[in-house]
Amino acid sequence: MQQKIVIKVQLKCNKCRSKAMSIAAMASGVLSVQLEGDKRDQVVVIGDGVDAAGMTTLLRKKIGHASLEFVDDLKD
């Protein structure tokens, strides 16, 4: 079953945005990655069997402050 994961990340520059997108895309089971929000500070990941907590921890280590907003199951 696919799930939608939204992680709020403190992005300071375009390089940080690109780094966050590449980190999120490298996780296993990820189908798509997007930036959303008013300040484009939310990384939205759609995938199957993605470890949301692990991805949030990895973003914290590589980029800075990151918080898991919500995880929602998508219906086909």
Side-chain angles (χ1 to χ4, degrees):
M1 182 178 325
Q2 290 185 356
Q3 55 189 358
K4 179 179 180 180
I5 302 166
V6 178
I7 303 171
K8 187 167 184 168
V9 182
Q10 185 177 6
L11 301 171
K12 300 175 184 174
C13 60
N14 287 333
K15 184 177 179 182
C16 296
R17 283 186 180 89
S18 138
K19 192 172 181 180
M21 295 279 288
S22 66
I23 289 170
M26 285 191 300
S28 65
V30 173
L31 300 176
S32 71
V33 179
Q34 300 174 352
L35 287 175
E36 290 183 358
D38 294 337
K39 298 178 183 177
R40 300 188 49 87
D41 60 348
Q42 293 179 343
V43 178
V44 178
V45 178
I46 296 176
D48 190 22
V50 180
D51 181 18
M55 185 181 299
T56 305
T57 304
L58 189 59
L59 284 168
R60 271 190 204 129
K61 286 181 181 179
K62 299 288 182 177
I63 294 184
H65 181 74
S67 62
L68 182 61
E69 295 291 311
F70 68 88
V71 178
D72 190 22
D73 290 333
L74 296 177
K75 296 181 181 177
D76 293 335

